[in-house]
Amino acid sequence: MLELIDVHSGYGRTEVIHGVTVTVPDDSVVAIMGHNGAGKTTLLRTAVGLIGVKSGEIRFDGEAVTKMAPSRRVKRGIAYVPQGQQSFPQLTTAENLQVVADGRKRGKQLIEEALELFPALRELLARKAGLLSGGQRQQLAIARALITEPKLLILDEPTEGIQPSVVAEIERTIIDLTRRGGLSVLLVEQHIGFALQAAQQYYVLQSGRVSSSGAGGAGAETDVRAAMAI
């Protein structure tokens, strides 16, 4: 699905990612963890093409996309939900969903499928996105991304600043989506329990390098905490 191979990237002359190799297989969840400043968001932005690669290679579905524009990567099936529960605050929830669905053959059906995944949004369709809670905006942001029918969903800190009940709902949704097949998830997350519960594979970043990796699951938490404590 997605392969980042010995990737070096950063901002201007400053290199932030130093030779990182990460693989996201088909129909799987892969978690990237690490402390603030470890390079997690930079790695995601590199994967979607918002930051250029200084050296190394990025492949998606077997195709080299290292120099491909972000818009073309989206068309290939990559959806990115950045930090901050982003939406159009002056538009209603319904309008936020419709903007993404417009022009798609299955637009109405895709909106309905998104609302089935996040039923709490049904009661908020007429409310402006700027008036939603952080958890509601995050559900809306993920719903909008799913309407693009991605093969790979990239999530940056989806549980940041969100109440535990919504965190659990987002976790269930991610797991359910990957079990259906046809979707992989690359997840950056500081909540270790959530990340390992959802992920089949994890990577720990420190100072822009992979310091540890392994299989996900609750049993990996001790190893991950030890790696992050180094």
Side-chain angles (χ1 to χ4, degrees):
M1 174 60 69
L2 178 70
E3 298 172 273
L4 290 87
I5 306 166
D6 193 24
V7 167
H8 295 251
S9 68
Y11 305 90
R13 295 182 179 180
T14 302
E15 186 169 294
V16 177
I17 301 299
H18 311 284
V20 167
T21 295
V22 167
T23 299
V24 183
D26 291 344
D27 302 331
S28 67
V29 179
V30 172
I32 306 291
M33 290 175 284
H35 296 297
N36 289 335
K40 304 184 301 297
T41 293
T42 300
L43 184 65
L44 295 193
R45 289 172 62 83
T46 302
V48 299
L50 297 173
I51 296 175
V53 172
K54 295 177 182 295
S55 65
E57 185 177 12
I58 301 175
R59 302 186 66 82
F60 181 66
D61 261 359
E63 178 184 9
V65 299
T66 312
K67 298 182 179 180
M68 187 177 290
S71 59
R72 291 185 61 196
R73 299 188 202 197
V74 170
K75 290 180 180 179
R76 291 291 193 281
I78 297 177
Y80 175 46
V81 181
Q83 287 176 286
Q85 304 108 34
Q86 295 188 9
S87 62
F88 296 110
Q90 295 305 314
L91 299 182
T92 65
T93 297
E95 290 167 340
N96 266 275
L97 297 172
Q98 190 63 52
V99 163
V100 184
D102 281 346
R104 297 183 178 276
K105 293 181 179 180
R106 298 197 312 120
K108 290 183 178 180
Q109 183 178 346
L110 290 169
I111 290 175
E112 181 58 31
E113 290 173 0
L115 292 173
E116 288 176 2
L117 290 169
F118 297 108
L121 294 179
R122 287 189 186 278
E123 299 179 4
L124 304 168
L125 290 174
R127 186 176 301 179
K128 288 187 177 181
L131 300 178
L132 302 180
S133 70
Q136 292 164 346
R137 287 197 305 272
Q138 187 64 282
Q139 291 179 77
L140 176 58
I142 297 173
R144 282 163 43 87
L146 291 172
I147 288 174
T148 68
E149 298 183 279
K151 298 176 183 177
L152 173 66
L153 178 63
I154 298 180
L155 301 173
D156 192 355
E157 301 280 12
T159 68
E160 183 180 37
I162 294 176
Q163 59 268 38
S165 61
V166 179
V167 169
E169 185 172 349
I170 291 173
E171 179 183 338
R172 286 194 301 270
T173 300
I174 291 171
I175 293 172
D176 289 346
L177 284 169
T178 54
R179 284 176 177 171
R180 295 180 186 182
L183 178 70
S184 294
V185 176
L186 178 58
L187 168 73
V188 157
E189 183 55 65
Q190 291 205 43
H191 291 178
I192 295 174
F194 165 78
L196 293 177
Q197 179 67 26
Q200 288 80 50
Q201 176 79 18
Y202 73 84
Y203 296 86
V204 176
L205 282 190
Q206 285 190 327
S207 301
R209 295 179 171 85
V210 174
S211 64
S212 178
S213 64
E221 185 166 346
T222 299
D223 292 338
V224 170
R225 291 192 181 279
M228 292 178 64
I230 296 174

